[in-house]
């Protein structure tokens, strides 16, 4: 039996994975700010379709859900990964 998988067609599919990661990195800097040395407080560690794992303060890992629409990123609440 053949199974069919459907994918949603969105404008974001026109972005390369590198472009999506660049958008996510920039959005992390914008939303979570810079530390005292001018470095991003959070930076991408792993990227998934609807969340990122970001390294945050003191090296802790955080799972942060996101949506990507019209080339704009909206993050949900960061939850520390234990």
């Amino acid at each position: 039996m053949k199974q069919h998988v459907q994918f949603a067609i969105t404008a974001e599919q026109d972005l390369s994975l590198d472009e999506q990661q660049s958008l996510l990195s920039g959005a992390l800097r914008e939303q979570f700010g810079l530390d005292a040395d001018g470095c991003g407080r959070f930076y991408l560690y792993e990227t998934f379709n609807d969340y990122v794992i970001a390294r945050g303060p003191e090296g802790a890992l955080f799972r942060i859900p996101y949506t990507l629409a019209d080339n704009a990123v909206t993050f949900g609440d960061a939850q520390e990964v234990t």
Side-chain angles (χ1 to χ4, degrees):
M1 177 174 242
K2 217 178 202 184
Q3 293 183 340
H4 295 280
V5 178
Q6 293 182 339
F7 296 96
I9 303 298
T10 66
E12 286 71 46
Q13 287 182 339
D14 292 332
L15 295 176
S16 72
L17 295 176
D18 288 334
E19 290 170 322
Q20 288 180 32
Q21 285 190 317
S22 180
L23 277 174
L24 290 165
S25 289
L28 281 172
R29 278 190 306 278
E30 284 181 30
Q31 181 162 336
F32 296 103
L34 303 176
D35 64 15
D37 297 322
C39 298
R41 292 185 57 236
F42 287 82
Y43 63 91
L44 286 183
Y45 186 75
E46 291 189 74
T47 305
F48 297 88
N49 290 333
D50 59 353
Y51 69 95
V52 297
I53 301 296
R55 185 146 324 258
E58 311 218 357
L61 293 175
F62 292 83
R63 179 184 171 135
I64 309 171
Y66 73 89
T67 57
L68 179 59
D70 298 324
N71 294 335
V73 178
T74 303
F75 288 109
D77 294 330
Q79 301 293 320
E80 188 169 1
V81 176
T82 56

